[in-house]
Amino acid sequence: MGNVTRFILALMMVMLLPHFVVSFSIKTTTNINTDQSALLALKAYIVSDPQKMLKTNWSTATSVCNWIGVTCGSRHQRVIALNLSSMLLTGTIPSQIGNLSFLTSLDLMNNSFYGSLPDQFTNLHRLKHIDLSWNNFCGEIPYSFPKLQYLSLRNNIFAGEIRSDMFEHLPRLQVLSLTLNKLSSEIPMGLFKCKELQVIDFGYNRMMGGILPKEIGNLTMLRILRLGGNMFEGVIPYQIGDLLNLEELSLCNTLLKGHIPPSISNLTRLKILDLSTNSLTGVIPHQIGNLLNLEELILYSNMLKGPLPSFISNLTRLTTFDLSHNSLSGQIPSGLFERLPKLQRLDLGGNKLSGKIPLGLFNCKELQSLILDSNRLEEILPKEIGNLTMSMLEALDLHNNLLKGIIPYQIGNLTRLRFLDLSNNSLTGVIPHQIGNLLNLEQLSIPSNMLEGPLPSSIGNIIRLTSLQLFNNSLTGVIPHQIGNLTCLQLLDLSSNSLTGQIPITLGNLRYLHLLDISDNDLSSTLSSSKSSFQSSLANCRELSYLSFARNPLISGYLPAFIGNSSIPLQYFDASSCNISGRIPGEIGNWNPTNLRYLGLNGNQLEGILPLSLVNCSELVVLNVANNNFSDTFPHWLGMLPRLRVLILRSNRFHGSIQDSLTNFSFSKLQMVDLSHNDFTGLLPTGFFQNLKALKEEVGYDSEYFSYSVNLTIKGLELEFTKTVHMPIFTCIDLSDNGFHGEIPKVVGELRLLLALNLSHNSLTGPIPPSFGNLAALESLDLSFNKLSGRIPSQLTNLTFLEVLRFWNNNLVGPIPQGKQFNTFENDSYRGNLGLCGFPLSKECRNDERSQQAQDEEDNGNGIAFIWKVAMMGYGCGMVLGISIAYIVFATGRPWWLVRMIERDLQNKVSSWFGKKRE
């Protein structure tokens, strides 16, 4: 009976099996068709497939499981993984993606997908791995994946807050990377429910902020915590020490303050500690010495103080040690680095360290980068720096210290060196010829020392050099022609030395040159159209934007006409004081006129007229042709230049009336005007003053890349000085030593941002306008050697910043105003005015003169408070941002007023300017 039953069952199975197989096959085929349709929909949404990967491979002619990037499961024959990373694809994600119901891994990283993810994306409940990094996805962060372990959305444009409740749907999450997005939330408290988290990377969202919650210590499985590049504030929580499995802690570039917590000593597995660019204070805690697995210690740009901690020598696995830009002081311990055999990068720059460079440092055989700049290190540069044990060194930066002595020739042993900066020290002697052994060197910077002797010809061996800066030394001899071998050179600055001989035409080989400065030497050359002229050879330098050969008195010749045909994108051209004669060629206006910003031809023997083609130079900011032999009327057409801020025509033979030639020309951004020592006549140009908008109100300017050297004469002081400035520049008007006559227009009193006004040595008549009391920022006023009459307006006592006053040799009468700045001027300010009386003169005023003065002061009293406010506002707008100032004093001795003014403004304004730059 049993056998009969078994036979019947077997027979039934044989009869039903074909139907079961067919049914299973139909179901499997249907499901794989669903996956195929979903992927074909994705293909249809891809608008760019430059490698044609999907176009040629994703075809119904082959099984979907054989498509590129597709992986199918062996059990269900369904798509379980999709990897399209780094295929340069562009497109969006269709809703059909949600039909890949067996998908466990999705990798679309490093493409150009964009747009938000469809709602159906959350149907992929089997997903364990999602990597959408390095795309342009936006919208909400996807969640509701109960099996998800890895989620990377790095470098997209997801924005808004991170929902706290999303982590309730991600119970198995281990890796979460949201760095480089536009998220703006605090760290959500729901995150701390993900007990399996091993990696949190929220870096560089910029707008994430708030206090770091102490609950961070609950995530005891964490191995990596990156929160840098955000706006987290407050202190580092003590509970950070509970993360015993942590291997990397990066809290850099945030707003954290306070001390580094001692609990950090618990993180004994830590390999990377980066707390840089914060406001951390106090000393470096000795507990860091317990982190024996530490490989990178990065604490730069904080406010840490005290000596270098000796416990650093315990960290024998250290490869990167960066404490730069803090307030560390004292000497570098001699044995600090002897137990750091793996050290590759050391940066202690920007501190207050003193003493010698420890010799033990040169035993670090794997050291690649040594940065000790901007400290107070002294003594000689040790010859041990060239030890063969330092053969791995690629960067050596010792600039801005107190080092002295010679450059040791052993430095030529550092054959892997790529960056060498010894600038701003007190090094003497010659540049060793062994410098030519540094065949891998890319940047060589030794300016502002006391080096002498010739520039070694071996410099031509360093053919990878891109930057060579040796300015401000005492180098002699010729520029070696081998410098033309440096065909990769982009920056060459040999200015302010004592170099002699011909300027080599091999400079024309430097076709990638951006900046060439050989000014302030004793070099010789003849400017001409000849191919033997160095200037002609520069036509090959198609990248040149800065060219200065100024103040080389042995240069002569003329500016050749081809100067206007050059294709180089010159922005700065300074050929001042070079004995150049002839005319400025009219073709100069064709010299890439949309680029030229600075044109300095002062101190030469140029003649004729200014070429009208200069009107094409729409970006011109500074035009300086002082001290030449030009004979021309006022170039009113320069008012068409929309960015012109400095116009220096001093000491030429410009003539005629300015008033008659100013029709429909603006000069609205002009801030420095020097027309002194010419032959201008007629009335002072009222329309010209009315157009000087930049001296009436603040005018926004683009930041200038170059520093501008400008000569300025303020008559009465008999002073001439050179100033290198960044914008905004010194605001002044100098019309002295001309033939102007008539009254001073009252509109001059509207130039409230003016710092210096010089109208001396003319034939001006009439009274001093009371409107001068509105020149709130004025610091120097010179009206001497005219025919001015009447009283000195009492309104001038409102000029609270006035430090120089010259009324010499006029016909002024009556009492000298009293109060405020006028009480500081001595009788020398008023000499040659026999009708003046009162303090500080010995001549007393009559009673009727005093009563008239009192009435004038009473009439002016109600405006004092308002003028004071205007003065305070105006003074902050047009002051000097100087980099370096040279004073040349003439007959009247040192101008202490100017020294005090410049020093004060350098302290207040430069610090403010650099602060804005860092922001």
Side-chain angles (χ1 to χ4, degrees), residues 216-335:
I216 197 78
N218 297 340
L219 301 177
T220 56
M221 298 293 291
L222 269 184
R223 295 184 297 104
I224 296 175
L225 177 60
R226 300 184 186 128
L227 301 177
N230 287 292
M231 300 182 68
F232 295 112
E233 53 190 357
V235 300
I236 301 173
Y238 186 88
Q239 290 79 3
I240 205 82
D242 295 336
L243 305 179
L244 302 182
N245 290 297
L246 207 60
E247 297 177 7
E248 178 181 345
L249 175 60
S250 178
L251 303 177
C252 60
N253 198 16
T254 64
L255 305 175
L256 296 171
K257 57 185 179 181
H259 292 192
I260 301 173
S263 62
I264 206 165
S265 64
N266 299 336
L267 310 181
T268 55
R269 296 187 179 183
L270 204 61
K271 296 180 180 179
I272 299 175
L273 175 60
D274 188 351
L275 305 178
S276 60
T277 317
N278 282 287
S279 298
L280 301 175
T281 56
V283 299
I284 301 173
H286 65 86
Q287 288 87 351
I288 290 181
N290 296 334
L291 308 181
L292 301 182
N293 288 301
L294 204 60
E295 298 175 2
E296 298 183 21
L297 177 57
I298 306 173
L299 303 176
Y300 68 82
S301 295
N302 279 285
M303 295 184 284
L304 301 170
K305 59 184 181 180
L308 278 177
S310 58
F311 64 75
I312 296 300
S313 59
N314 297 337
L315 308 179
T316 57
R317 298 187 180 184
L318 210 58
T319 61
T320 298
F321 182 36
D322 192 342
L323 301 182
S324 61
H325 300 286
N326 280 283
S327 296
L328 302 175
S329 57
Q331 297 188 358
I332 303 176
S334 58

Side-chain angles (χ1 to χ4, degrees), residues 77-357:
Q77 286 297 304
R78 297 291 302 274
V79 176
I80 62 171
L82 179 62
N83 185 351
L84 302 179
S85 63
S86 302
M87 289 188 178
L88 306 178
L89 303 174
T90 301
T92 58
I93 305 300
S95 60
Q96 290 90 335
I97 197 77
N99 295 334
L100 299 174
S101 55
F102 278 74
L103 200 64
T104 61
S105 177
L106 175 64
D107 190 345
L108 303 178
M109 70 169 293
N110 198 23
N111 284 288
S112 297
F113 287 104
Y114 58 91
S116 58
L117 298 171
D119 294 338
Q120 292 81 357
F121 192 82
T122 57
N123 295 339
L124 306 176
H125 299 302
R126 287 185 170 90
L127 275 176
K128 297 180 179 180
H129 180 107
I130 300 177
D131 193 343
L132 306 180
S133 56
W134 300 94
N135 281 283
N136 295 304
F137 288 114
C138 61
E140 290 190 1
I141 297 173
Y143 63 97
S144 189
F145 304 105
K147 296 183 179 181
L148 195 64
Q149 299 175 3
Y150 183 102
L151 175 60
S152 178
L153 307 179
R154 180 185 180 90
N155 201 3
N156 281 280
I157 49 178
F158 291 102
E161 295 189 359
I162 305 174
R163 293 177 52 176
S164 185
D165 61 348
M166 68 177 285
F167 298 102
E168 297 177 1
H169 306 279
L170 302 170
R172 299 184 182 179
L173 195 61
Q174 297 178 11
V175 175
L176 176 61
S177 178
L178 304 178
T179 192
L180 291 168
N181 279 280
K182 296 185 177 182
L183 302 171
S184 59
S185 68
E186 297 182 358
I187 295 179
M189 298 304 292
L191 178 67
F192 305 118
K193 297 179 181 179
C194 300
K195 301 296 185 179
E196 297 184 24
L197 267 174
Q198 299 180 30
V199 176
I200 296 178
D201 188 355
F202 289 167
Y204 295 91
N205 280 279
R206 295 297 178 189
M207 296 307 294
M208 287 193 72
I211 305 296
L212 289 183
K214 62 182 180 180
E215 287 80 4
I216 197 78
N218 297 340
L219 301 177
T220 56
M221 298 293 291
L222 269 184
R223 295 184 297 104
I224 296 175
L225 177 60
R226 300 184 186 128
L227 301 177
N230 287 292
M231 300 182 68
F232 295 112
E233 53 190 357
V235 300
I236 301 173
Y238 186 88
Q239 290 79 3
I240 205 82
D242 295 336
L243 305 179
L244 302 182
N245 290 297
L246 207 60
E247 297 177 7
E248 178 181 345
L249 175 60
S250 178
L251 303 177
C252 60
N253 198 16
T254 64
L255 305 175
L256 296 171
K257 57 185 179 181
H259 292 192
I260 301 173
S263 62
I264 206 165
S265 64
N266 299 336
L267 310 181
T268 55
R269 296 187 179 183
L270 204 61
K271 296 180 180 179
I272 299 175
L273 175 60
D274 188 351
L275 305 178
S276 60
T277 317
N278 282 287
S279 298
L280 301 175
T281 56
V283 299
I284 301 173
H286 65 86
Q287 288 87 351
I288 290 181
N290 296 334
L291 308 181
L292 301 182
N293 288 301
L294 204 60
E295 298 175 2
E296 298 183 21
L297 177 57
I298 306 173
L299 303 176
Y300 68 82
S301 295
N302 279 285
M303 295 184 284
L304 301 170
K305 59 184 181 180
L308 278 177
S310 58
F311 64 75
I312 296 300
S313 59
N314 297 337
L315 308 179
T316 57
R317 298 187 180 184
L318 210 58
T319 61
T320 298
F321 182 36
D322 192 342
L323 301 182
S324 61
H325 300 286
N326 280 283
S327 296
L328 302 175
S329 57
Q331 297 188 358
I332 303 176
S334 58
L336 187 63
F337 304 104
E338 292 180 353
R339 296 175 57 193
L340 303 180
K342 297 184 178 182
L343 191 62
Q344 298 177 10
R345 182 174 182 269
L346 173 64
D347 192 345
L348 301 176
N351 282 287
K352 301 175 182 178
L353 300 172
S354 58
K356 301 179 180 181
I357 300 174

Side-chain angles (χ1 to χ4, degrees), residues 771-899:
S771 63
F772 273 26
N774 298 327
L775 298 176
L778 201 66
E779 301 197 8
S780 175
L781 176 61
D782 191 345
L783 303 177
S784 59
F785 293 96
N786 280 287
K787 300 176 182 179
L788 299 173
S789 58
R791 295 172 178 264
I792 299 174
S794 60
Q795 289 88 344
L796 267 62
T797 60
N798 295 324
L799 304 183
T800 54
F801 298 113
L802 197 63
E803 297 195 42
V804 173
L805 183 65
R806 296 287 184 267
F807 286 160
W808 302 344
N809 294 77
N810 279 285
N811 300 316
L812 300 173
V813 298
I816 294 173
Q818 302 299 308
K820 298 179 183 176
Q821 290 298 97
F822 266 69
N823 291 347
T824 67
F825 300 128
E826 300 178 356
N827 55 9
D828 185 64
S829 295
Y830 310 102
R831 71 187 187 196
N833 290 275
L834 300 180
L836 290 176
C837 61
F839 180 83
L841 302 180
S842 57
K843 179 182 178 180
E844 296 185 359
C845 297
R846 301 189 306 271
N847 289 335
D848 58 335
E849 292 174 323
R850 292 196 190 98
S851 61
Q852 181 62 43
Q853 178 190 19
Q855 180 63 40
D856 292 343
E857 292 175 355
E858 181 179 348
D859 292 342
N860 186 51
N862 293 333
I864 290 178
F866 173 75
I867 296 299
W868 175 255
K869 293 177 182 178
V870 174
M872 293 302 291
M873 290 187 293
Y875 186 63
C877 301
M879 295 307 297
V880 183
L881 291 179
I883 301 301
S884 63
I885 303 172
Y887 301 88
I888 303 177
V889 182
F890 286 80
T892 57
R894 174 171 291 190
W896 287 107
W897 73 272
L898 186 60
V899 175

